[in-house]
Every structure is written in structure tokens, then in C-alpha cells.
């Protein structure tokens, strides 16, 4: 922190309570923002390059290692892309099982973020352990709920972080009926628990900031989209995922570490819980819609801080959906759809907890990868995060530095940025003029 | 009595191993009560100054800044324990060690000149002395608790170093390699995950890295006899522990 004649410089050198590493640099002169940079400084890991030459079947397990918090997003986006390239489709009970697995990831990731990483911002605390000192029951409920998400991942996927039971075409082994059905009683408790958390957090003081976002998400005709659908926006876009690269771009900018996603002529857009909720509110269950209304949310949310509540609405929905799938589960006849290697191109796009995660692969005739392209949600949100920060800072210049810094951190955490996920990273030097 | 100070540090990684600590839902509040969490950015804004009684280190060293930072962490830590395949062998990103990193950079980035990266991804022990290495991609959370507990109580962690095969026998899992001809790294991989892949009728893919003195040549011969091509055998060894010496040397025989 430095105070010089009319110039304030605020730096958050290592942002806490995000997955990965990010930083923010802000320079204000004479009451105006002169410079604002949200930086991500994860070193590059070159996933797209190291996939070249590997077999198609290896992509799900390798790309899972992009992110330990949302491996299922990578596993399923890449599996779908490979299935399209190989000309097979996973339908019926196996598709249901994948949706159940994904619900597990939404529950663990959303609860981790909402209760343990984001909520402390609204209480003026450092972390969830300090919340536990005030309200141990609330934190125990959150931990039990998060554990349930992990349990679904273990029962269906074989492991909570980097599941081992998934493969291109489905699963290595279909989980036993008794084990899956045994999840039901805890899921019944979870409906109550997620509602309790939502009620507790609905009373937070949400900073007064709204923005008319361009919301981009999947949409599916029959369900609240998680694993598949068309790409839609609240501005009327409605495209097949295969045309993703015709509509969206990524730019490599010197001042930031992840490639920045943009739409059309370079405008920022929003992916993740608020985007999904705004586009697909009509497809949430009556229970989830009612809980949202009770928490004070309308069918469209324009206050980014309320993403905290939207995450819990989605958690409630994921618990309900998981319960439905668990109760209906019968062991499928085959655990996977077999495929023969062939040349082809495939696209996959699923809703990671943080937003759409897009993969494209080109395969040669032996099924080895010629080219890989991965566009994770956090790269896509980067431009929007910076945009929000500009708006929030401009509105709050009167705040003392420490409070402004906290507000900026809270704003970044609205996005649950999974910084390991933004696969394109660079460590860089900032020019300070 | 002063509570021991625990710090968790991240280098190049996916965050999955430090997440494993937060995934100890049943024990988390007890652990938090027994130690002072002095530095754990994924979980808290609070930062206490060193020195630290125990530093858990996740991730590999891939940039000049990281190479410098790990030395600072070491100098501030009484015990330093590395957690996960990235920290113990370099992780999946160590595949760059066998390729032209400049070509990798050009393939992924429009402006490779913005990058400040090393040509290799290497284990923490290649840079500083390490008190204990906990294997896994990701680590097993029960083993992680055992290591924290043992280290803070001044005893050697009880972490077995036998092969994955021992786990299969203990669990009564039918051998996927012998019975079905499924390629499996179990005979040369250290146990620790709890027999996960063979229990799903899948071959072990080596998350926990090489066991002590693995007979990789014998396994490769068996895989070849089962009809696996050389390129596929090489790929089997070169994933999440590609830069662990035993796996690296074996995979290079099958280029």
C-alpha cells in the first residue's frame, strides 16, 4: 500500500480462498482508475501440447489433472468430444449415471466455495474455521453436505479427486445397485441441509452492485443443462457446441496470465451459476425455484455477489436431481459403449461448477490425438471479472484502502475462479509507468 | 503448550492434493483445533509469519520464481513434506521434459515471449532436502492425516511402500492382468490408493509412482506378450509420474 499525492496503489499479491493463484493490481489517480489488472500467475502446464500423440482413451484422465476441484468437468467434456469423433453416443442409464456423477461434483464444489471460501467475505472473517467458532452447527452441516458430494463421486467414480471409474464410452464398472440406492437417505437429509444453508446466507448484506451481463450457458430441451445441450445466451444466441470456435475467441494479453475469452467482437461474457440460472430458471424444480424466491432471488439475478445464493439453489437442485437418479438406478446391462479407433474431430462442452468447459480434439485413423483445444470456464470469465472490478472500484473509491481491497477480493471470489483451470497461464512482468 | 504451525504451499499443480486436506470433512475441525494453520491460501486469508513446524508442499517446480520460492519455504520450515505426484516426481506436466518446451509454448500460446518458464517440471526434492514424500495423484487423504499426525508427534509415518499387487491380494480382487490380460502397472507401482482401479476391473495406471526396486522389464515383457504395442507401453509409464526415474527409464525403452 502506498499513499502518494493523490495516487493510491492497491495490490493483492496472492489472492486467498480461490483454487490456484491470482493477483490484482490497481492504480488510482485523482479519483479515477488509471490501471487495473487482474492477474493469474499459475505457471503454464501446456496440457494441449502434451496431449498430442496420446491415445484418445487417455484424454479424460490426463485433462482431469487440469483441476482437482472439478475433474468431472474435464473427464466428461473430453469423453463427449472423443465419443463424437468416434461416432458413438452414450445414452439411457449410462447417461443418467454420468449426470449423477456430475451432481456430486456440483455439490462438493458449490458447497466448498459458498460455505468455506466465499461466505467469510460476507462475515468479515478470514476463513470457515472462524465461522465455526461462531456457528459450529452451520459449518458441520456444510462439511457433511460437501462430504455427500464426494461420496457420490466415490460411489459412481471410484475416487473423489480424479475419479478412476470413468472412460470414453461410459464406465469401467457399473456401480452396484445397493451402494447407489444407499445414497438416498443422506440425499433426503441434504434437501433440508441445502435449504438451511441457503436461508442462513440469504440474510447476508450483499453489496449494492448490478450489471446487465451477457449470460452464456448450455440449454437442454428436457432438463436443467449440466452434461449437454446447445449454447445459448440471454441476447438470443442459440448455437450447436460444434460451432463454439466460430463465436468465441481467446486472446493472449501481456498483462494477464490466462488467455482471455471473448464473444463476437471482443465483448466480455459471463459463464457459471448466474448465467445458467438466468438462462434456465424455468427448468429448475418447483422446490428449487421456491427456495430461490424465499431467499429473495427473482428469475434473473444481476448482482454478482448473489452468486453465493445461486450456488446454493443449484446445490439444492443437484441434491434433488441426484435423489431422483439414485432412486431410479438399476445396474445397466453394459458399463460402456465400445468404440473402434478412427480419424475424426469431436467437440464436448459441459457445465463445470464454474461454467462451460469446452474441448475439441482431432484424431488420426489410429485414434491418436493430432490436436487438442481446451477452453475452461475461468479463462472465459476473466474479462468479465476485470469489467466487474472496474465497476465496483469506481463505485467504492471512497472506501479506505483495506476495505476496498477486501471488496475487490470478494468481487473476484464471486466467480469461484478456479485458477488451476485456466489452462493458459503465464508468469509475467508488469510494466509500471 | 504452543500449537504447531502448519503451512500449505502450492507450486505447479491442480490443487487436488491440498483439496484432499479440505476433503477430510470429519477430521477438519479437529485438525484445525490441534494446529495453527499459519499459511493455507486455498482455505484462508490469514497469514502467520514463519518459521513453520510443518510445511506441506504441493506441485512441481516449473518456473524460475518457483525454484527461488521453494528455497525460502525450506528455510522457514522445520519439517517439509511433499504431497502428491507433482511434488514427488514432477507430475503430468513433466512430459515437457522429453519434448521441446519452446515448441510446446508455440503450440499453446500466441505470444510465447510472454512466458517465463523452465524447460523442465521437476520434483521438490530435486531442489531442496525433503523430510518425507507422500505419493499419489492425488494423495490418499487418510495417508495425509497420518503423515501430519506422525510428523507433529515426532515419529516416522506409517506409509507402506509395497506394490499395488499386495493391495489386490488383501482385498481379494481378481488380478486383471493375469485373468483378463488387462494392462496394469500394479506390479511396479507403490500401493496407497486402496486398490481403486483393479476393483473397477481397470488396470492400475500408476498414480502412486514406482515402488522400491520395481521389475519394469518383466512387466513390459508381459504387456508385450498380451499384445500391447511399444508406443502404448511407453505411454503407460509416462503419465502422472513420467519423470520418476524407474518409469522414465522404462518408457524410453519403448519410444
Amino acid at each position: 500500500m502506498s499513499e502518494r499525492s493523490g495516487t493510491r496503489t492497491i495490490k493483492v499479491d496472492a489472492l486467498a480462498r480461490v483454487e490456484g493463484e491470482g493477483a490484482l493490481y490497481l492504480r488510482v489517480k485523482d479519483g479515477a482508475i488509471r490501471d487495473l489488472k487482474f492477474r493469474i500467475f499459475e505457471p503454464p502446464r501446456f496440457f494441449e501440447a502434451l496431449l498430442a500423440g496420446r491415445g484418445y482413451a487417455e484424454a479424460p484422465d490426463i485433462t482431469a489433472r487440469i483441476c482437482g476441484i472439478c475433474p468431472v468437468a474435464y473427464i466428461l467434456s473430453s469423453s463427449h468430444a472423443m465419443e463424437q469423433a468416434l461416432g458413438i453416443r452414450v445414452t439411457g442409464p449410462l447417461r443418467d449415471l454420468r449426470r449423477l456423477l456430475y451432481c456430486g461434483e456440483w455439490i462438493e464444489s458449490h458447497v466448498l466455495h459458498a460455505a468455506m471460501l466465499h461466505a467469510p467475505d460476507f462475515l468479515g472473517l478470514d476463513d470457515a474455521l472462524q465461522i465455526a467458532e461462531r456457528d459450529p452447527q452451520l459449518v458441520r452441516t456444510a462439511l457433511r453436505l460437501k462430504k455427500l458430494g464426494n461420496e457420490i463421486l466415490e460411489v459412481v467414480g471410484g475416487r473423489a479427486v480424479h475419479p478412476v471409474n470413468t472412460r470414453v464410452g461410459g464406465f469401467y464398472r457399473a456401480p452396484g445397485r445397493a451402494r447407489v440406492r444407499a445414497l438416498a437417505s443422506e440425499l433426503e437429509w441434504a434437501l433440508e441441509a441445502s435449504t438451511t444453508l441457503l436461508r442462513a446466507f440469504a440474510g447476508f448484506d450483499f453489496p449494492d452492485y448490478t450489471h446487465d451481463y451477457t449470460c452464456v450457458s448450455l440449454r437442454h430441451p428436457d432438463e436443467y443443462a449440466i452434461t449437454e445441450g446447445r449454447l445459448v445466451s440471454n441476447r438470443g444466441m442459440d448455437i450447436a457446441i460444434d460451432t463454439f470456435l466460430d463465436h468465441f475467441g481467446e486472446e493472449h494479453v501481456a498483462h494477464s496470465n490466462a488467455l482471455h475469452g471473448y464473444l463476437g467482437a471482443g465483448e466480455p461474457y459471463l459463464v457459471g451459476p448466474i448465467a445458467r440460472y438466468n438462462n434456465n430458471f424455468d427448468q429448475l424444480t418447483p422446490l428449487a425455484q421456491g427456495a430461490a424466491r424465499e431467499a429473495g432471488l427473482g428469475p434473473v439475478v444481476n448482482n454478482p455477489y448473489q452468486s453465493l445464493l445461486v450456488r446454493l439453489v443449484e446445490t439444492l437442485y443437484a441434491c434433488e436431481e441426484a435423489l431422483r437418479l439414485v432412486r431410479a438406478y438399476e445396474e445397466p446391462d453394459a458399463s460402456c459403449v465400445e468404440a473402434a479407433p478412427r480419424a475424426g474431430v469431436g467437440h464436448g462442452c459441459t457445465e463445470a461448477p464454474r461454467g462451460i468447459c469446452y474441448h475439441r480434439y482431432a484424431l488420426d485413423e489410429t485414434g491418436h490425438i493430432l490436436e487438442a483445444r481446451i477452453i475452461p470456464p475461468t479463462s472465459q470469465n476473466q474479462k468479465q471479472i476485470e469489467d466487474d472490478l472496474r465497476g465496483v472500484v469506481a463505485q467504492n473509491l471512497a472506501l479506505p484502502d483495506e476495505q476496498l481491497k477486501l471488496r475487490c477480493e470478494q468481487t473476484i471470489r464471486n466467480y469461484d475462479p478456479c485458477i488451476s483451470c485456466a489452462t493458459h497461464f503465464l508468469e509475467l512482468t508488469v510494466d509500471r509507468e | 503448550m504452543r500449537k504447531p504451525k502448519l503451512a500449505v504451499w502450492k507450486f505447479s499443480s491442480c490443487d487436488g492434493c491440498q483439496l484432499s486436506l479440505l476433503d477430510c470433512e470429519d477430521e477438519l475441525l479437529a485438525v484445525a483445533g490441534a494446529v495453527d494453520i499459519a499459511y493455507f491460501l486455498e482455505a484462508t486469508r490469514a497469514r502467520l509469519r514463519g518459521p513453520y513446524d510443518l510445511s506441506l508442499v504441493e506441485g512441481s517446480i516449473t518456473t524460475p520464481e518457483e525454484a527461488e520460492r521453494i528455497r525460502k519455504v525450506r528455510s522457514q520450515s522445520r519439517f517439509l513434506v511433499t504431497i502428491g505426484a507433482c511434488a514427488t516426481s514432477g507430475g503430468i506436466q513433466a512430459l515437457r521434459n522429453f519434448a521441446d518446451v519452446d515448441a510446446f509454448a508455440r503450440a499453446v500460446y500466441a505470444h510465447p515471449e510472454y512466458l517465463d518458464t523452465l524447460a523442465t517440471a521437476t520434483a521438490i526434492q530435486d531442489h531442496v532436502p525433503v523430510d518425507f514424500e507422500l505419493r499419489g495423484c492425488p494423495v490418499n487423504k487418510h495417508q495425509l492425516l497420518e503423515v501430519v499426525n506422525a510428523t507433529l508427534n515426532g515419529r516416522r509415518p506409517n506409509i507402506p511402500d509395497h506394490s499395488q499387487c499386495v493391495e489386490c491380494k488383501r482385498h481379494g480382487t481378481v488380478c486383471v492382468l493375469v485373468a483378463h490380460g488387462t494392462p496394469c502397472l500394479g506390479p511396479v507401482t507403490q500401493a496407497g490408493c486402496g486398490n481403486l482401479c483393479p476393483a473397477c476391473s481397470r488396470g492400475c495406471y500408476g498414480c502412486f509412482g514406482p515402488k522400491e526396486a520395481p521389475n519394469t522389464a518383466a512387466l513390459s515383457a508381459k504387456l508385450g506378450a498380451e499384445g500391447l504395442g511399444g508406443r502404448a507401453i511407453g505411454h503407460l509409464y509416462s503419465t502422472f509420474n513420467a519423470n520418476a526415474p524407474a518409469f522414465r527409464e522404462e518408457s524410453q525403452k519403448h519410444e
Side-chain angles (χ1 to χ4, degrees), chain A residues 319-330:
Chain A
C319 292
E320 242 187 312
E321 187 64 358
L323 184 58
R324 181 183 71 79
L325 293 163
V326 158
R327 282 178 175 155
Y329 180 71
E330 297 289 350

Side-chain angles (χ1 to χ4, degrees), chain A residues 2 29 156 158 161 204 250 256 267 304 320 362 373 376 405 410:
Chain A
S2 68
K29 192 170 181 183
V156 180
V161 178
F204 285 166
E250 278 186 307
S256 166
E267 66 199 85
E320 242 187 312
R373 186 79 193 273
K405 178 175 159 176
Q410 181 180 18

Side-chain angles (χ1 to χ4, degrees), chain A residues 385-406:
Chain A
I385 296 175
E386 278 198 353
D387 218 48
D388 272 7
L389 285 165
R390 267 186 213 98
V392 167
V393 169
Q395 226 180 55
N396 292 285
L397 281 173
L399 288 178
D401 281 0
E402 188 55 30
Q403 280 184 35
L404 185 59
K405 178 175 159 176
L406 280 172

Side-chain angles (χ1 to χ4, degrees), chain A residues 14 16-21 42-50 53-54 58 61 65-69 112 116-117 126-127 129 143 146-147 150 158-159 161-162 164-165 172-173 252-254 368 406 409 420 423-427, chain B residues 10 12-16 19 22-23 25-26 28-29 32 37 41-47 62-63 66 69 92-93 95-96 101 104-105 108-111 114-116 137-138 196-197 199-202 205 207 231 235 238-240:
Chain A
R17 298 201 318 269
V18 297
E19 295 92 9
E21 296 184 56
E42 282 265 327
R45 286 185 291 153
F46 303 117
F47 272 91
E48 290 147 318
L50 59 84
R54 305 296 293 220
E58 295 188 278
D61 290 324
R65 268 65 180 184
I66 290 171
C67 176
I69 292 93
L112 171 74
M116 300 177 75
L117 309 182
D126 281 336
D127 54 47
L129 300 169
L143 285 170
K146 182 167 101 62
K147 187 180 176 185
N150 282 331
R159 183 158 63 183
V161 178
H162 304 323
V164 297
N165 190 27
Y172 283 92
R173 182 179 225 164
H252 189 183
V253 291
H368 287 87
L406 280 172
E409 284 191 26
S420 308
T423 43
H424 310 277
F425 279 111
L426 43 136
E427 171 70 41
Chain B
K10 174 185 159 64
S12 292
S13 66
C14 82
D15 282 52
L19 180 71
L22 296 178
D23 279 351
E25 289 95 357
D26 297 336
L28 190 65
L29 296 178
I37 296 179
L41 273 192
E42 189 178 85
T44 181
R45 290 187 84 241
R47 295 167 209 192
T62 67
T63 68
E66 288 182 329
R69 186 158 53 97
I92 186 75
Q93 54 275 12
L95 289 176
R96 75 169 69 173
V101 80
F104 267 25
V108 178
Y109 294 92
H111 296 282
Y114 295 161
L115 298 172
D116 185 12
C137 184
L196 295 178
C197 286
C200 306
S201 322
R202 175 184 189 175
Y205 62 91
C207 293
R231 184 181 182 187
H235 282 173
S238 51
T239 58
F240 312 108

Side-chain angles (χ1 to χ4, degrees), chain A residues 66-266:
Chain A
I66 290 171
C67 176
I69 292 93
C70 54
V72 171
Y74 290 90
I75 287 171
L76 285 185
S77 290
S78 61
S79 295
H80 285 174
M82 292 305 177
E83 285 150 18
Q84 189 185 49
L86 300 170
I88 58 169
R89 271 190 71 76
V90 175
T91 55
L94 293 177
R95 181 184 185 277
D96 285 349
L97 208 48
R98 283 180 162 181
R99 191 168 168 85
L100 174 60
L101 182 74
Y102 224 136
C103 285
E105 180 155 288
W106 273 29
I107 295 166
E108 62 87 13
S109 176
H110 275 353
V111 175
L112 171 74
H113 186 263
M116 300 177 75
L117 309 182
H118 204 196
D121 281 327
F122 296 87
L123 296 164
L125 300 173
D126 281 336
D127 54 47
L129 300 169
Q130 292 180 356
I131 303 178
E133 285 164 23
R134 294 188 193 186
D135 191 346
Q137 196 46 47
L138 187 78
V139 174
R140 279 199 203 100
T141 300
L143 285 170
R144 184 173 157 189
L145 199 52
K146 182 167 101 62
K147 187 180 176 185
L148 172 62
N150 282 331
E151 225 167 310
I152 295 171
L153 291 167
E154 283 168 8
V155 168
V156 180
R159 183 158 63 183
V161 178
H162 304 323
V164 297
N165 190 27
T166 54
R167 55 177 291 185
V168 173
F171 294 87
Y172 283 92
R173 182 179 225 164
R177 183 173 181 272
R179 271 198 86 197
V180 172
R181 296 247 175 159
L183 292 163
S185 60
E186 191 68 359
L187 281 164
E188 284 162 13
W189 166 83
L191 300 183
E192 199 55 49
S194 35
T195 310
T196 303
L197 284 184
L198 181 60
R199 280 193 192 123
F201 294 169
F204 285 166
D205 179 16
F206 293 93
D208 183 21
Y209 177 81
T210 56
H211 183 80
D212 182 17
Y213 293 100
T214 296
C215 295
V216 174
S217 74
L218 291 177
R219 183 169 175 91
H220 189 276
D222 311 319
E223 61 196 11
Y224 193 76
I226 301 177
T227 57
E228 62 178 325
R230 286 173 66 78
L231 274 167
V232 302
S233 81
N234 55 339
R235 311 270 189 245
M237 185 184 78
D238 181 355
I239 59 170
I241 61 163
D242 304 17
T243 61
F244 183 97
L245 295 172
D246 303 336
H247 296 264
F248 296 86
E250 278 186 307
E251 57 189 338
H252 189 183
V253 291
H255 88 253
S256 166
N257 300 26
L259 298 184
H260 278 209
Y262 63 85
L263 181 60

